[in-house]
Amino acid sequence: MLFQKALTSAARIATRSHQFRSPLTSFSRLSSTMAPKLRDPSLFKQNVCYVNGEWIPAKSGKTFEVHDPATEQLIGTCPEFTAEDTRLAISHAETAFESFRHKTGRERSKLLRKWYDLVVENADDLATLITWENGKPTADAKGEVTYAANFFEWFSEEAPRIYGDTIPSSIPGNRVITIKEPVGVCGLITPWNFPAAMITRKIGPALAVGCSVVVKAPGETPFTPLALAELAHRAGVPPGVVNVVTASENTPEVGKELTTNPTVRKISFTGSTPVGKLLMKQCSTTLKKLSLELGGNAPFIVFDDADVDLAVAGAIASKFRSSGQTCVCANRIFVQRGVYDEFASKFAAKVKEFKVGNGFENGTTHGPLIHHKAISKVEEHVRDAEKKGAMVLLGGNKLPDLGPNFYEPTVISGMKVDMAMASEETFGPVAGLFPFDTEEEVVRIANNTTVGLAGYFFSRDLERVHRVAEHLEVGMVGVNTGLISDPASPFGGVKESGFGREGSLYGIGEYQVTKMVTYGGMGKKLQS
């Protein structure tokens, strides 16, 4: 049987898995004396947040520590903001909004363009900060900075092109138009996995339409958002329009202030589904406008008629980007039995080429996970799969010689739907391969989840491409590609992956309200 052949092939690969570990353990931890240097040290902001155009500490004077996930060395400290501190930022944002909303689209465009230029000019320092506090390799960090900057560029071009409509009235003499207006002060709550791009994807459209914002930076990676705030200041963004606050222990308190304060008219959140549900409940007290980009469990499907090499490349890009710590990572890889052996062999061979280590080390392709909790979840999923009959082809172990937050890139064969990885988001460098027989079967299994953010499939059958794309219950579909993120494309999900869209023309609308204006008495005849 094909599946049995796959397992036999897997066993052969597994016997060579010790060769895979050699490059993984060849990197040593960077010593604390090798802290990275910035070309512009003033971008590194400690113990202060950016509020109303000024750098201020928490009123209490309390701070929290931020550690390098690769070395666990202290990077620095940031203010432990409270609800009271956050309330002050919201108040300044409200004041700034009253004037900023009346700037022309062209004026707002120039501000975003200047901010974009500064991000590009300081790309190396921003990438250094990302690698330092997030752990992703320098090449990946540089890619994120480019991606982040592109949101400013995209929305700078959209700012002057915000149009309403003229609507034919059903009542003679009436004229109906719509006006697009900024929703008001926006609370933006961002995650640690893309500390630059998730902020610019939210701030870009907010400023383009004339909103002011209070950004809650992630406690794990606050220094990149603070550096972006410094560049906003240099770009001439008016005081109070962009405010960046930090908190770790007080994160729930700050989040509650943002979601319940009546001055805040919109919340945009990227993070887990449970937290999204909590924030939505809190927002209901003031009926705020909401955008929620939550958890995923992305299916990645390879059909018999696929270009296997292309599918392998797509799976590598989708599954192992940022060591599997993205919401659109392939979480369940389904391979039709006719190509299962070939795909498993080629896929494992590619993963075997990875080099895990400190993101600043030359040659590193994959860095650490963000913290101990992430490692524990990955280990739990791998052991669960093994216990229930799956076979680890490559990896499957922690890498304590590198540090407590490192885990081997892992490939597991013979996955089944009763395994934890089938229903839970792993958020780590573990790829589980599920065999399947028919198109109907795999679409049914792929949709058998409460979330629906992204989905991918590979096929050269044009009819199947349209059929499967329409039947997958997700907000975004990648056909013959493993990378779908683009500032020009609407990003978001369905079901418990949230609602609303970020990026693209659709992302602009999330920060606007539509006002209808009816003019009466417009149909009288001209007097001679």
Side-chain angles (χ1 to χ4, degrees):
M1 295 175 64
L2 290 173
F3 182 49
Q4 185 60 44
K5 290 180 180 178
L7 291 179
T8 302
S9 175
R12 289 197 297 270
I13 298 173
T15 61
R16 302 194 299 272
S17 63
H18 66 282
Q19 299 173 15
F20 179 64
R21 294 191 181 94
S22 178
L24 295 180
T25 56
S26 65
F27 296 102
S28 60
R29 299 197 209 186
L30 287 177
S31 70
S32 60
T33 61
M34 295 179 64
K37 303 294 184 182
L38 300 180
R39 294 181 181 179
D40 182 356
S42 66
L43 288 177
F44 183 64
K45 299 294 184 182
Q46 282 203 83
N47 303 321
V48 286
C49 290
Y50 187 67
V51 176
N52 198 33
E54 298 180 344
W55 292 99
I56 63 172
K59 286 186 177 181
S60 67
K62 292 183 178 179
T63 61
F64 63 92
E65 295 184 346
V66 181
H67 294 88
D68 181 343
T71 66
E72 295 205 309
Q73 296 294 322
L74 177 67
I75 296 174
T77 55
C78 285
E80 188 71 78
F81 261 39
T82 63
E84 182 183 1
D85 293 313
T86 307
R87 202 172 302 124
L88 176 65
I90 293 170
S91 176
H92 286 304
E94 180 183 27
T95 300
F97 172 67
E98 291 308 316
S99 57
F100 188 67
R101 67 179 301 179
H102 296 299
K103 285 188 178 292
T104 67
R106 183 62 62 189
E107 288 175 315
R108 296 193 298 269
S109 173
K110 289 178 180 178
L111 285 173
L112 283 170
R113 181 69 198 196
K114 179 61 176 175
W115 200 355
Y116 163 80
D117 290 338
L118 287 169
V119 170
V120 172
E121 290 172 17
N122 293 275
D124 287 346
D125 279 348
L126 291 172
T128 296
L129 288 173
I130 292 171
T131 297
W132 200 4
E133 61 184 353
N134 172 279
K136 65 180 64 175
T138 298
D140 285 356
K142 289 181 176 179
E144 183 187 340
V145 173
T146 299
Y147 182 46
N150 286 346
F151 283 109
F152 285 157
E153 181 182 41
W154 171 268
F155 287 110
S156 75
E157 296 164 347
E158 289 295 299
R161 299 178 176 86
I162 297 170
Y163 305 123
D165 296 302
T166 300
I167 302 172
S169 173
S170 59
I171 301 174
N174 281 6
R175 300 294 182 267
V176 181
I177 67 169
T178 63
I179 301 171
K180 299 291 187 178
E181 296 185 335
V183 65
V185 177
C186 301
L188 312 179
I189 305 174
T190 62
W192 51 262
N193 56 342
F194 288 90
M198 295 303 94
I199 284 181
T200 62
R201 192 164 74 183
K202 297 177 190 296
I203 290 182
L207 267 60
V209 304
C211 295
S212 59
V213 302
V214 177
V215 179
K216 164 57 178 72
E220 298 88 348
T221 57
F223 291 114
T224 303
L226 292 171
L228 287 172
E230 171 62 23
L231 297 180
H233 186 82
R234 297 179 190 180
V237 175
V241 171
V242 172
N243 306 274
V244 179
V245 306
T246 65
S248 180
E249 181 181 329
N250 291 342
T251 291
E253 178 182 337
V254 171
K256 187 173 183 180
E257 180 63 31
L258 288 170
T259 53
T260 59
N261 190 308
T263 299
V264 177
R265 299 295 180 85
K266 182 211 167 52
I267 291 290
S268 178
F269 169 71
T270 298
S272 72
T273 295
V275 174
K277 290 179 178 180
L278 173 63
L279 296 180
M280 185 175 180
K281 183 178 180 180
Q282 292 173 350
C283 284
S284 69
T285 61
T286 52
L287 291 180
K288 300 187 192 306
K289 192 167 186 177
L290 269 171
S291 297
L292 298 175
E293 193 264 285
L294 309 176
N297 188 2
F300 187 103
I301 304 168
V302 183
F303 288 102
D304 283 345
D305 63 345
D307 179 329
V308 173
D309 291 333
L310 184 65
V312 167
I316 292 292
S318 177
K319 173 67 256 183
F320 289 103
R321 183 185 183 194
S322 298
S323 296
Q325 298 176 111
T326 85
C327 55
V328 292
C329 274
N331 199 56
R332 299 167 293 159
I333 300 178
F334 300 101
V335 186
Q336 204 159 12
R337 294 190 192 275
V339 293
Y340 191 93
D341 291 23
E342 180 184 2
F343 180 90
S345 177
K346 290 182 175 180
F347 183 70
K350 285 293 183 183
V351 175
K352 191 176 179 182
E353 297 173 2
F354 293 167
K355 291 185 178 180
V356 179
N358 190 299
F360 289 115
E361 293 274 8
N362 291 331
T364 294
T365 61
H366 293 78
L369 300 191
I370 190 65
H371 46 47
H372 300 176
K373 290 182 181 178
I375 288 288
S376 296
K377 186 172 186 180
V378 167
E379 177 74 1
E380 178 185 323
H381 279 194
V382 172
R383 302 286 83 87
D384 172 78
E386 277 189 317
K387 181 180 179 180
K388 295 176 180 176
M391 178 179 290
V392 175
L393 306 187
L394 289 174
N397 296 290
K398 301 176 184 177
L399 294 169
D401 290 345
L402 291 179
N405 296 328
F406 288 90
Y407 201 90
E408 289 181 304
T410 300
V411 181
I412 304 177
S413 180
M415 294 293 297
K416 300 175 184 177
V417 296
D418 65 340
M419 296 174 181
M421 205 182 305
S423 57
E424 300 175 14
E425 191 175 23
T426 303
F427 230 66
V430 179
L433 309 184
F434 296 74
F436 75 92
D437 292 301
T438 68
E439 177 184 314
E440 179 185 12
E441 172 197 5
V442 75
V443 170
R444 174 177 51 79
I445 296 173
N447 289 338
N448 186 27
T449 176
T450 59
V451 293
L453 189 56
Y456 311 84
F457 69 93
F458 282 69
S459 172
R460 287 181 281 197
D461 182 330
L462 184 60
E463 293 180 358
R464 170 178 280 163
V465 163
H466 284 279
R467 194 166 55 238
V468 175
E470 292 174 2
H471 281 83
L472 285 177
E473 296 174 356
V474 295
M476 301 172 286
V477 178
V479 181
N480 294 324
T481 180
L483 296 174
I484 57 175
S485 297
D486 185 332
S489 301
F491 193 102
V494 298
K495 299 196 286 190
E496 292 190 16
S497 285
F499 47 80
R501 293 297 180 265
E502 295 188 320
S504 81
L505 173 65
Y506 300 95
I508 284 279
E510 298 291 337
Y511 294 86
Q512 296 174 310
V513 291
T514 300
K515 177 181 285 184
M516 181 275 291
V517 181
T518 297
Y519 297 89
M522 304 293 289
K524 294 181 180 180
K525 294 182 179 180
L526 296 175
Q527 300 297 318
S528 59

